Amino acid sequence: MTSASPGPSRLTETVDALRTALAQSPDVLSFTLGGTIDEETAAAAEADGVPREFLDFCRVLDGASCGPNVQLFGLAEAEEHQFYCGPVVDSPLPLSPEKLYCIGMVNEAPVFLDRAGGGVLGNPEAGGDWVDAERFEQLAPGVAAFFLDRLATADYARLAEIDDELLEYDDWLKLLRRAGLTG
């Protein structure tokens, strides 16, 4: 794992490598990588309560669709998924829009940014039954670290629960290999 806030240069370099590989990969779906948000959009979103760390990430990469089981939302899509932060009857999880911000999905379970500590939290192994989990697992110390250390590495295959027989067909893994991020 990296520190809580990997340098923007590492994130930018990784995203640039992925965008270059995507441009040279007509066999990979083009919507895999989002664009970026501008300063005006970021300022308006921050005024509406979107966490700054998520906005800083969106300034470099406004979402990534890593495969059918893993998605890191762009700003517009994140705003549509904040209902996951609301309390759920009989769930032991501390769900609260004041404490959490939904930033993606892994295996049908939402992934949250902890507004206070900046960590990325979730229960990806619980899948659709995530609300029954006893507690959140910290997936990474921050949004950039989640992307760089969990999604832009070979660890993605484990996180996404990809069957060994399907590894060679996964578009995100193809893109990671072509960008020189995995073996």
Side-chain angles (χ1 to χ4, degrees):
M1 291 278 171
T2 62
S3 67
S5 58
S9 61
R10 180 172 168 224
L11 177 60
T12 301
E13 288 171 6
T14 300
V15 170
D16 287 349
L18 287 166
R19 285 193 172 119
T20 299
L22 183 60
Q24 299 168 353
S25 301
D27 60 323
V28 175
L29 297 173
S30 63
F31 64 80
T32 301
L33 296 173
T36 60
I37 61 170
D38 59 39
E39 292 304 318
E40 184 178 328
T41 301
E46 188 171 5
D48 286 340
V50 177
R52 180 175 293 188
E53 181 177 354
F54 182 66
L55 294 170
D56 288 346
F57 181 83
C58 291
R59 285 179 176 102
V60 178
L61 180 61
D62 190 27
S65 182
C66 304
N69 295 336
V70 179
Q71 184 174 12
L72 188 57
F73 297 145
L75 178 60
E77 194 162 13
E79 290 173 343
E80 295 172 6
H81 285 83
Q82 295 314 302
F83 62 89
Y84 282 112
C85 299
V88 175
V89 175
D90 296 329
S91 176
L93 295 172
L95 296 166
S96 164
E98 292 80 27
K99 295 179 181 180
L100 302 170
Y101 190 80
C102 185
I103 61 167
M105 299 289 288
V106 175
N107 301 322
E108 300 180 38
V111 174
F112 301 98
L113 176 63
D114 176 0
R115 288 178 179 269
V120 175
L121 309 172
N123 294 303
E125 293 175 8
D129 297 326
W130 67 274
V131 295
D132 296 327
E134 294 294 319
R135 62 182 172 72
F136 286 120
E137 172 187 339
Q138 180 162 321
L139 303 175
V143 180
F146 179 65
F147 180 78
L148 292 168
D149 299 336
R150 302 297 299 271
L151 302 183
T153 67
D155 190 41
Y156 155 78
R158 187 199 62 75
L159 186 67
E161 298 179 355
I162 300 172
D163 293 333
D164 289 343
E165 306 88 51
L166 301 176
L167 286 174
E168 68 182 279
Y169 302 106
D170 186 271
D171 276 356
W172 185 251
L173 285 173
K174 284 181 195 175
L175 192 60
L176 292 176
R177 281 191 295 271
R178 291 173 185 170
L181 299 172
T182 62

